[in-house]
Amino acid sequence: MDAMQDPLIRALWIAWGLYWLIAARGTKASTRVESSASRASHLVPLAIAALLLWLRTPPDCFLCGRILPATSTTYFSGVAVIAVGLAFSIWARVHLGRNWSGVVTLKENHELVRSGPYALVRHPIYTGLLLGFVGTAIARGEWRGVLAVAMAFVALWRKLRLEERWMIETFGDAYLRYRAEVAALIPFLL
């Protein structure tokens, strides 16, 4: 079944998206914002990755061969990974509070948050989103899921690197210590 035609997977992603829209209100004013071209350089690959996962399977699709069995175990494993990933990103978003932004920005009186999910990884929203993509790819079980996850990873890694530069410029040694102590995306690994 196509991932976004599945009501459970669709409901998880839609609920996450609605929360994200509602939570975007009330953030601090920005003092520095990435350019539109910079933003497009990670949003376009993310959008393509999402389309790879969520569009109906076209006939004769060379990336649509199955790599995982079409079983309920595969499906529910994927759904569980989606739910955990999206919940983790929401926890991070709640914990970040008014410092959050959908684009790379610096906020007025920007704070270096190191608690909650930020004690586990420096970019827990991206970790959660990647888990959501991985879960969707597992539920789909096709080669295009591998490509979609790789594209999402590259896009988020590019955005992460820009954020890290700005955090170092803003917080200096405090951020360098944080970076030395806490992994970027996967606890204790990456």
Side-chain angles (χ1 to χ4, degrees):
M1 175 182 286
D2 291 321
M4 287 314 284
Q5 304 309 312
D6 177 88
L8 182 54
I9 293 173
R10 187 174 55 233
L12 287 170
W13 279 103
I14 289 172
W16 176 86
L18 289 173
Y19 168 78
W20 224 250
L21 287 173
I22 292 166
R25 297 186 211 169
T27 60
K28 295 178 183 178
S30 298
T31 59
R32 182 178 179 189
V33 180
E34 74 177 314
S35 69
S36 297
S38 175
R39 186 166 193 216
S41 70
H42 53 261
L43 282 180
V44 169
L46 275 175
I48 293 169
L51 288 172
L52 279 170
L53 287 173
W54 297 326
L55 289 178
R56 290 188 178 276
T57 303
D60 300 323
C61 171
F62 73 96
L63 286 173
C64 299
R66 291 207 64 83
I67 57 172
L68 294 172
T71 65
S72 60
T73 301
T74 301
Y75 169 78
F76 284 112
S77 296
V79 169
V81 172
I82 296 167
V84 167
L86 297 182
F88 191 71
S89 72
I90 288 170
W91 180 35
R93 171 60 187 88
V94 167
H95 204 75
L96 195 55
R98 296 186 64 223
N99 288 300
W100 176 83
S101 175
V103 297
V104 179
T105 62
L106 290 175
K107 300 289 190 171
E108 288 180 0
N109 302 312
H110 203 100
E111 301 166 64
L112 178 56
V113 177
R114 292 191 56 170
S115 56
Y118 291 88
L120 302 172
V121 289
R122 294 189 312 270
H123 301 276
I125 291 173
Y126 303 162
T127 298
L129 282 175
L130 284 169
L131 282 172
F133 272 85
V134 167
T136 307
I138 290 169
R140 177 172 282 288
E142 298 174 351
W143 280 106
R144 62 178 156 163
V146 174
L147 179 59
V149 169
M151 289 179 72
F153 176 84
V154 168
L156 292 172
W157 190 260
R158 187 232 164 256
K159 186 177 179 186
L160 173 156
R161 290 174 47 101
L162 176 60
E163 283 183 8
E164 298 255 315
R165 259 196 329 259
W166 289 19
M167 292 290 107
I168 291 167
E169 290 171 12
T170 303
F171 297 108
D173 288 340
Y175 195 81
L176 290 172
R177 279 191 304 277
Y178 178 47
R179 195 166 81 169
E181 295 167 3
V182 178
L185 292 172
I186 303 169
F188 311 110
L189 294 177
L190 176 67

